Amino acid sequence: MSMPSIEERFRRAAQRSAERSIKASSSFRSVIPILHHDVPTFIEAPHDEDLANSDVVVCGFPYEGIRARDTRTMIEPGVPLENTVYARDGAWEAPDAIRRHSLHYSLVHGPGIHHYELDPEFRLTENISISDAGDLPVDLAVPTEAMLHEASDRLGAIIGEERIPILLGGDDITPYVGLRAVARQRQARIAVIKFDAHFDLCWEPRYWAGSEWARSMEAGFLRPEDLAVIGIRGFRNPGVFGEVARELGIRYWTLPMIDEKGIVACVEEAIDTVAGQADYLYLSFDVDVMDPAFLPAQKYPEPAGLTAREAVRGLRAAVAAGPPFCGFDLACLAPRYDVNGLGSQLAARFAVEVIASHAFRRRSDP
């Protein structure tokens, strides 16, 4: 019996793929979902109104609050910030930028996103459903605390009792909004793994991109011993941050520790340290943990951070090793400082990796 020709084998493979594609196509629209203007939904997932019972729901939080103009001066939300060497503006633009560049990972590819790095046979939409609910409300005329709580309450209404939020910030008060909603949803003990160059252990100002953990602990939905920070580096962490971490028993892993042990080992150590008694795992990612060579669009860039591959491997390891995954946020992307959209594309990749890792673990678990 003669071997099929190369053309016949190509066509046979294409037929198998088409059969799987027909099965997968019911999970997303054939009409491109547009949120507004030229902004598509994240990875062209269905609008949440069309898939209200999705496993994972993406929300944007286009908020940028108090900013540091320099080492001595804070600027109130909504007040224009002149470009300075010390600080950058524009994190409120991130959700739209991430969605635009998420087209690189569109569900139409395949369709349904093959993930050959995890498993050649793994297709995302065969294991999990995803929707995009648009942006949470932001009103700078409302007092900050009330505005943040309104956004968090809205997120809580969207995710209901079981859905997992993927929250695209915004500055680094974003974790407070996401974690508050998830804590109310789960009514259980939640461990947090934070990828960040900075501790963010300010007590005041009360609500800004450096006090998210103080407010979360004060409100009672995060225990200090359940927080681990991965990626501490550089010279923008004041001495008081280290003292607060020591006082509260907050564990952290620095870049030299990552260099010595590897990112996966450090993440697994963090999981063992903070998640042993926890029921769920929440992941938070500040893009300034990255080396600006890989992600230039940062509010507070500093050289010598994580590589793109280290960040991807770290996120995968956290989802694989931790307790059940319950939420993810990404913060402090400043798209106006991007280079050819590479930073926004990488930020979108991080969100896709977290979703895929969760789906892959769920498929693998008995």
Side-chain angles (χ1 to χ4, degrees), residues 45-65:
H47 289 284
D48 195 53
E49 62 193 29
D50 298 328
L51 196 63
N53 294 318
S54 64
D55 302 305
V56 172
V57 58
V58 177
C59 291
F61 184 51
Y63 174 73
E64 190 163 29

Side-chain angles (χ1 to χ4, degrees), residues 133-146:
D135 290 340
L136 301 177
V138 172
D139 185 353
L140 298 182
V142 174
T144 301
E145 181 179 30

